[in-house]
Amino acid sequence: MTDKTGMNRTLVGRVVSDKMQETATVLIERRVKHPMYGKVITRSKKYHAHNANNDAKMGDLVQIVECRPMSRTKTWQIAKLLERAEVL
């Protein structure tokens, strides 16, 4: 058998929910140009990511990396906590 050691996909986004145990919902936003009109549009998608020690809180900027399926909807895990959210 061959060993696949390819690079995993990584994305950067904001945590929008941390109410589940060991899971955070991360919002990924990307900017794309409309094919016909040329206007820049913001597209967004939410991913469930494994938050092992419940380190990431709501509003934090995190980097997520693709991993094996951990549940029906969770196939990402939080790799790094890039920036803490401001507490008012």
Side-chain angles (χ1 to χ4, degrees):
M1 292 189 81
T2 60
D3 187 27
K4 268 179 74 172
T5 56
M7 297 295 289
N8 289 345
R9 295 191 301 164
T10 60
L11 299 170
V12 176
R14 290 250 176 232
V15 176
V16 292
S17 173
D18 62 343
K19 296 188 187 308
M20 296 173 274
Q21 290 181 357
E22 295 189 347
T23 304
T25 304
V26 181
L27 180 74
I28 306 294
E29 288 185 333
R30 59 190 182 93
R31 296 166 57 86
V32 295
K33 199 171 192 180
H34 191 280
M36 184 174 183
Y37 301 114
K39 183 174 179 173
V40 178
I41 306 167
T42 304
R43 298 277 184 204
S44 62
K45 187 166 182 184
K46 290 181 185 176
Y47 294 97
H48 286 156
H50 185 64
N51 188 7
N53 301 324
N54 292 323
D55 297 332
K57 299 297 179 193
M58 201 161 142
D60 292 348
L61 187 69
V62 295
Q63 179 181 16
I64 59 174
V65 62
E66 195 174 30
C67 66
R68 66 175 179 82
M70 296 186 177
S71 70
R72 187 170 64 119
T73 59
K74 192 163 66 167
T75 57
W76 295 82
Q77 66 184 357
I78 294 178
K80 282 189 222 172
L81 184 64
L82 301 175
E83 177 185 303
R84 286 269 181 212
E86 271 189 34
V87 179
L88 296 177

